[in-house]
Amino acid sequence: MTDKKEFWGHKTYCLITGASKGIGRNFAIEFSRKFAANSLVVLLARSESGLLETMDLIFKANSEVKVVVYPTDLGKSDPESFLKVIQNSLKDADSKPTDFDLSVIVHNVGSVGDVSEGTSEMS
């Protein structure tokens, strides 16, 4: 039998895309409530003002976590730029990967796009 580790309550590195509003913002806030002190929450979205609002809400939910924001258009990203965000977030938070018990990525970025076209008609 494997030893299961409880998910919540650990020092966690958590990156959330689409975190400036909606469900991404709610993921960030609700997850942060349950993270241990000095966890790092990395927020990505196009809207810097939305990210800063999310950061403020996170600090109200749990003032013991660290938060970094990166206004980013992930529609124009590549694997190398995503890796740079991860590396820079650790550097900016004066952290290293071994500081955390868990790592979580919530890739929530999206766009409503042209809603007049059905999914089966999209290319």
Side-chain angles (χ1 to χ4, degrees), residues 9-121:
H10 291 278
K11 191 172 174 186
T12 303
Y13 175 96
C14 181
L15 185 147
I16 302 176
T17 66
S20 63
K21 60 184 175 180
I23 194 167
R25 174 178 280 174
N26 286 321
F27 280 142
I29 295 164
E30 294 306 317
F31 284 15
S32 294
R33 287 184 202 284
K34 299 177 184 212
F35 290 153
N38 294 310
S39 291
L40 176 58
V41 182
V42 182
L43 306 175
L44 280 72
R46 289 179 296 195
S47 169
E48 183 173 17
S49 62
L51 290 173
L52 293 174
E53 289 175 22
T54 302
M55 180 174 68
D56 288 342
L57 292 167
I58 287 171
F59 286 140
K60 288 177 184 170
N62 183 351
S63 63
E64 296 183 327
V65 298
K66 299 176 185 178
V67 180
V68 293
V69 299
Y70 296 103
T72 307
D73 184 353
L74 290 171
K76 302 173 184 174
S77 67
D78 54 54
E80 292 80 23
S81 64
F82 199 72
L83 178 60
K84 273 237 186 274
V85 166
I86 293 170
Q87 292 168 334
N88 288 339
S89 68
L90 291 166
K91 182 181 172 187
D92 292 345
D94 195 28
S95 300
K96 55 188 180 299
T98 56
D99 291 342
F100 304 99
D101 300 321
L102 298 170
S103 296
V104 177
I105 295 177
V106 178
H107 193 39
N108 171 66
V109 69
S111 173
V112 174
D114 180 4
V115 294
S116 66
E117 186 177 23
T119 305
S120 62
E121 299 164 353

